[in-house]
Amino acid sequence: MVTGLNRLTRNLWWNWDQEAQELFQELSPRGWQNLYHNAVAILHEVSECELRARLQDPDFAGRVRHVLHDFAAYLAEKDTWGNQHAPELAKNPVAYFSAEFGFHETLPIAAGGLGILAGDHAKSASDLGLGFLGVSLFYREGYFQQAFDANNWQAEYYTLLNPKNLPLEPVLDSRGEPLVCSVDIGMNQVFFQAWRINVGRVSVYLLDTNRHENEQHFRDLTLRVYGGDSTTRIMQEILLGIGGVHLLRKLGVQPSVFHMNEGHAAFLTFELIREKMAGGKSFTDALAATKAECVFTTHTPVEAGHDRFSAQLMDYAMHRFRAQEGVPFPELLALGRVKPEIAHELFCMTVLALKVSRAANGVSELHGRVSRHMWQCLYPDLPEDKVPIGHITNGVHMLGWMKGTMRRFWRRKLTGNSDVETPAVVAGDSTRFWKLKPGHDWASEINSPEFWNKMADPDFVSDEELWALRYKLRRELLEFTRRRLLLQQQRVTHGDFIAFDHLLNPDALTIGFARRFATYKRAPLIFQQLENIVRLTREAARPVQFIFAGKAHPRDDDGKRYIQHIIHLGKYSDLKGHLVFIENYDVHIARQMVSGCDVWLNNPRRPLEASGTSGMKAGPHGCLNLSILDGWWREGYDGTNGFAIGDDTHPASIDEQDRRDSANLYKALTEEVIPCFFNRDAQGIPREWLKKIRRAMVTLVPQFNTWRMVKEYAEKYYLTK
């Protein structure tokens, strides 16, 4: 069992298995809390001597056997959706390239939603048994850690990630040594190795240039997520795209599809074209053959959000690559320009990806429409609605985001009691093991529309039980927030301080906002009517409170000012005690907030929210969305399953849009949200509010998840030539 536990820690399957997490937490509760819920670190914290002693406890040993049995069964399962519907991908998998992957707080190598989406994509590909692998970079200092100075200005600091303490392992050659590859960058040959993250049944490979053969600035290419200037960025993207193809070739993997998640990886098309030309194809034929094996997902409806590089930078960064025999560099440069004949036009990675993909998509219906408008210039002979950019709306990995309290609750509903497992003894063997109750398939059930349709039936979950659950989740969030704020030392001097043990009100309508603090997301919008908001928080019979979290990009001073403004309001205005900001936003904080808040606030400047996924994570926890009709919410909202800010239009003027959205937000809050939440019957139950929660679970949860999303990618793009 010791060997089995060590193997388990090196596979992120435990990230979405509640019983596995509880085992590691039980081994060292304080370590689990302080070490970012890191199963690998827990087994380093607990000596093998202690572990073997703990396994003498029959109950604990039985639960370990059960978890290891489930893990082995998961890996060995053959009757998967992928084997039934996409068996050809088993031998020639999808190679999914993304500059970031967000899996868990243990491995902070993602900057935001793009990476979280990639991580959830990989988890669901594993669950579905799809032939799939990922390629990214190993950022040894990850994304920044957040703190605040005396003026509440965001400060960034970085901590070194030690692979030995992370759920990953080195990719080795036949001699047991690190597998080393190289890629041409500038005038140098840059060497890299790779780390493998086991994500259930699939692998994600992280490229790492921190090798002794390289000069220091090349060793630091994989230092930080999106670190440095344009020169660093283009070099990272050459490493990701061209280096990623080199790694797959050395591993002997022959993907049937190369899926570019954003344009960062689009240089992989250069290498695929070069390979085919080296094999004797003409440029035209090599381009056509490469296009036939590439698909592209764009996430960016903002013109400035697409990577662009000057001809001089391209010439420098691709110096050794373009010098290779037969590489038609002018023709390759033309693939990244809207108008190839204009030599001074910046090279755009999105243009390259669109031109060299057989299919492209946005990440919501509205984003697909915006993308077709944005890139019609590439297809001047086509009307806008015929531009070949479709859409697949994003989703979230249900079990990966579901808080433990909710998993235990739904497990009880699925099985009829709180214990899923029953002990049994194998005939002729005194070894105790655990088996699932007949017919129990946790992951399939929790992702099925049939399960969530049961929420419409009060006999399945009564209003009283659902309301008690919501109070429990809100209480857990408040106590988590108090602990975090105490650590942050958010105190006011001269005896006027916040009493953390009594901060926030468990009876108040709790509104949450947590995401990247990009300015288009307009985090402070609700406080434009500050006096009115203060009044709402002070109503004794209908109190309201706000919990915020999020990071601004290190170079985004406007985003930092938004954070500073909100922290100032929480400390020094009449909102003190009713508005708090949790620092150092990560996956763990996100999971706490989407489960414990009553309302998930989202007010981007439409149509700049390509999809958004944070609100999708709220649904299975009974948290309702209050959102602009942008991205996914425009498709999900039906008038009964949450709240809309305004209608399905937006003014052309930014100032007018901000003014109108602010008014509509306050109107929705005061005329719909607050009255509905505090409308209680004689038993103190908000029946209409709970009706909306039920509708949200029935209509949103089974639709906006990555099981549905990955199936759509397979059926629309991976299996269609």
Side-chain angles (χ1 to χ4, degrees):
M1 282 190 288
V2 172
T3 300
L5 282 172
N6 276 284
R7 181 178 178 230
L8 174 59
T9 65
R10 300 291 176 174
N11 191 307
L12 282 180
W13 176 83
W14 59 259
N15 171 219
W16 64 95
D17 184 84
Q18 183 64 30
E19 288 72 34
Q21 292 179 44
E22 288 172 355
L23 290 179
F24 296 117
Q25 181 178 16
E26 186 173 338
L27 282 170
S28 175
R30 184 173 177 80
W32 184 253
Q33 178 178 314
N34 294 340
L35 297 171
Y36 294 97
H37 316 103
N38 183 344
V40 177
I42 290 298
L43 285 199
H44 288 166
E45 173 81 7
V46 176
S47 69
E48 183 171 332
C49 183
E50 178 185 354
L51 181 58
R52 291 188 183 280
R54 298 286 291 274
L55 288 170
Q56 301 307 307
D57 177 347
D59 175 69
F60 183 72
R63 286 186 285 121
V64 170
R65 288 193 186 94
H66 156 63
V67 167
L68 295 179
H69 171 270
D70 273 5
F71 178 48
Y74 178 91
L75 295 180
E77 185 182 357
K78 300 299 182 186
D79 187 24
T80 65
W81 186 91
N83 283 340
Q84 294 172 11
H85 299 276
E88 57 267 53
L89 296 181
K91 183 178 180 181
N92 301 107
V94 176
Y96 184 93
F97 283 64
S98 180
E100 49 179 297
F101 274 87
F103 295 111
H104 188 259
E105 55 268 25
T106 295
L107 198 61
I109 56 172
L114 177 73
I116 297 298
L117 185 279
D120 283 7
H121 195 126
K123 292 174 185 177
S124 287
S126 170
D127 288 344
L128 295 169
L130 200 69
F132 180 95
L133 61 85
V135 178
S136 190
L137 305 181
F138 176 62
Y139 306 100
R140 67 180 183 275
E141 289 189 355
Y143 199 50
F144 72 89
Q145 303 294 301
Q146 181 190 54
F148 295 96
D149 64 19
N151 295 316
N152 300 314
W153 186 256
Q154 175 182 291
E156 301 89 27
Y157 66 96
Y158 294 84
T159 56
L160 193 64
L161 301 177
N162 184 350
K164 293 181 180 179
N165 289 328
L166 297 173
L168 45 78
E169 56 194 22
V171 177
L172 304 177
D173 61 20
S174 58
R175 298 170 298 171
E177 299 293 328
L179 181 70
V180 179
C181 304
S182 68
V183 62
D184 292 330
I185 300 178
M187 299 183 184
N188 296 81
Q189 183 181 21
V190 178
F191 296 90
F192 64 90
Q193 62 189 68
W195 304 91
R196 179 172 52 247
I197 306 176
N198 298 306
V199 186
R201 302 182 183 102
V202 309
S203 297
V204 174
Y205 297 95
L206 306 181
L207 282 52
D208 182 2
T209 59
N210 185 29
R211 290 194 56 82
H212 65 87
E213 302 96 329
N214 296 326
E215 298 174 9
Q216 189 61 48
H217 66 283
F218 287 122
R219 295 182 70 163
D220 289 346
L221 269 187
T222 52
L223 183 64
R224 297 173 180 173
V225 183
Y226 304 136
D229 55 13
S230 293
T231 302
T232 301
R233 175 67 68 90
I234 194 173
M235 290 181 175
Q236 285 184 332
E237 295 184 353
I238 291 170
L239 173 65
L240 173 64
I242 298 176
V245 174
H246 287 181
L247 173 68
L248 296 183
R249 298 310 189 212
K250 205 155 188 178
L251 290 172
V253 177
Q254 295 294 329
S256 60
V257 182
F258 290 85
H259 185 170
M260 295 172 279
N261 188 42
E262 263 300 1
H264 307 119
F267 284 134
L268 70 85
T269 63
F270 278 17
E271 178 63 11
L272 296 180
I273 291 171
R274 187 204 63 77
E275 285 181 343
K276 292 171 178 58
M277 293 187 68
K281 290 184 181 293
S282 68
F283 173 74
T284 300
D285 290 343
L287 175 60
T290 297
K291 187 172 183 176
E293 58 186 355
C294 292
V295 299
F296 171 56
T297 298
T298 178
H299 296 256
T300 310
V302 184
E303 189 68 30
H306 300 270
D307 286 341
R308 288 178 166 85
F309 305 116
S310 69
Q312 293 79 11
L313 183 54
M314 286 288 294
D315 187 67
Y316 165 72
M318 306 291 292
H319 180 81
R320 280 176 62 105
F321 178 85
R322 67 181 175 82
Q324 295 180 70
E325 183 178 353
V327 172
F329 198 62
E331 287 87 345
L332 293 177
L333 282 180
L335 293 173
R337 295 172 177 154
V338 176
K339 296 181 178 180
E341 68 277 7
I342 301 178
H344 64 268
E345 180 183 328
L346 296 178
F347 183 95
C348 178
M349 298 295 282
T350 302
V351 172
L352 171 63
L354 287 168
K355 284 187 177 182
V356 196
S357 292
R358 72 175 187 231
N361 68 282
V363 290
S364 70
E365 191 278 330
L366 180 58
H367 180 232
R369 188 193 311 171
V370 170
S371 298
R372 287 189 290 276
H373 174 75
M374 178 180 291
W375 298 111
Q376 188 184 14
C377 54
L378 292 174
Y379 312 92
D381 298 331
L382 295 177
E384 186 175 301
D385 63 344
K386 299 298 183 182
V387 169
I389 301 176
H391 82 276
I392 292 179
T393 303
N394 284 344
V396 298
H397 183 256
M398 192 67 58
L399 285 180
W401 283 101
M402 195 176 291
K403 192 180 178 187
T405 301
M406 289 304 307
R407 296 191 213 195
R408 288 185 286 271
F409 180 84
W410 295 127
R411 180 177 66 186
R412 188 172 74 248
K413 290 300 174 183
L414 279 167
T415 62
N417 61 59
S418 58
D419 296 315
V420 179
E421 302 80 28
T422 55
V425 177
V426 180
D429 186 350
S430 61
T431 302
R432 180 177 294 272
F433 79 108
W434 297 75
K435 66 180 181 180
L436 296 175
K437 286 188 171 181
H440 175 73
D441 184 355
W442 168 248
S444 295
E445 283 288 326
I446 208 68
N447 281 281
S448 71
E450 292 76 20
F451 171 77
W452 293 101
N453 283 339
K454 297 176 184 178
M455 284 304 300
D457 181 3
D459 289 335
F460 180 60
V461 177
S462 69
D463 279 355
E464 290 74 11
E465 190 176 14
L466 186 56
W467 189 230
L469 175 66
R470 285 299 314 147
Y471 250 97
K472 178 179 176 61
L473 291 168
R474 193 185 311 117
R475 165 63 67 176
E476 290 177 351
L477 171 62
L478 265 54
E479 296 194 354
F480 168 81
T481 302
R482 290 167 177 172
R483 290 194 303 271
R484 290 298 293 255
L485 293 176
L486 182 60
L487 293 174
Q488 291 171 212
Q489 295 295 304
Q490 289 193 345
R491 297 184 184 275
V492 182
T493 58
H494 302 105
D496 181 17
F497 62 89
I498 298 172
F500 289 98
D501 287 342
H502 303 286
L503 179 65
L504 301 175
N505 181 354
D507 297 318
L509 171 68
T510 303
I511 299 174
F513 182 102
R515 50 185 50 84
R516 281 190 309 117
F517 263 65
T519 51
Y520 78 85
K521 296 178 183 286
R522 301 186 298 184
L525 185 70
I526 196 168
F527 304 119
Q528 286 189 3
Q529 303 191 41
L530 184 59
E531 291 185 6
N532 289 331
I533 295 299
V534 169
R535 179 177 52 80
L536 293 179
T537 65
R538 297 301 178 90
E539 289 190 21
R542 304 196 309 178
V544 178
Q545 61 194 9
F546 301 90
I547 301 176
F548 276 65
K551 293 179 176 180
H553 189 279
R555 293 191 294 273
D556 183 4
D557 283 352
D558 288 336
K560 291 182 181 182
R561 274 187 278 273
Y562 278 2
I563 294 177
Q564 184 184 49
H565 175 58
I566 290 170
I567 295 177
H568 269 63
L569 290 176
K571 284 185 173 183
Y572 308 124
S573 79
D574 289 336
L575 288 175
K576 186 174 72 174
H578 306 276
L579 164 64
V580 297
F581 188 97
I582 305 174
E583 72 180 19
N584 213 23
Y585 182 55
D586 64 4
V587 170
H588 180 54
I589 293 173
R591 193 180 295 112
Q592 299 292 327
M593 289 186 63
V594 295
S595 62
C597 289
D598 299 295
V599 171
W600 197 251
L601 178 62
N602 186 40
N603 40 241
R605 186 175 289 122
R606 177 180 150 135
L608 302 184
E609 184 84 297
S611 174
T613 59
S614 62
M616 300 175 188
K617 300 156 192 166
H621 300 98
C623 173
L624 295 176
N625 281 275
L626 169 61
S627 177
I628 297 286
L629 290 174
D630 196 9
W632 81 279
W633 186 237
R634 180 177 170 274
E635 300 167 42
Y637 176 68
D638 69 2
T640 68
N641 56 4
F643 305 94
I645 301 170
D647 56 24
D648 194 17
T649 63
H650 61 273
S653 164
I654 289 177
D655 290 341
E656 173 60 19
Q657 187 176 165
D658 289 352
R659 185 202 62 78
R660 194 181 81 168
D661 288 347
S662 175
N664 285 333
L665 171 53
Y666 184 75
K667 180 180 180 181
L669 186 61
T670 55
E671 296 183 8
E672 298 180 63
V673 178
I674 294 175
C676 186
F677 184 80
F678 287 105
N679 179 19
R680 312 289 170 86
D681 64 9
Q683 287 75 44
I685 308 293
R687 305 287 177 181
E688 291 302 313
W689 185 267
L690 297 178
K691 187 182 295 184
K692 285 185 178 292
I693 289 177
R694 293 180 187 278
R695 282 291 298 165
M697 289 179 174
V698 170
T699 60
L700 302 177
V701 177
Q703 175 63 17
F704 296 98
N705 64 70
T706 41
W707 275 39
R708 182 271 311 160
M709 184 194 80
V710 172
K711 289 177 183 178
E712 280 195 48
Y713 273 108
E715 293 165 348
K716 286 187 177 182
Y717 297 137
Y718 297 162
L719 302 175
T720 304
K721 300 292 185 181

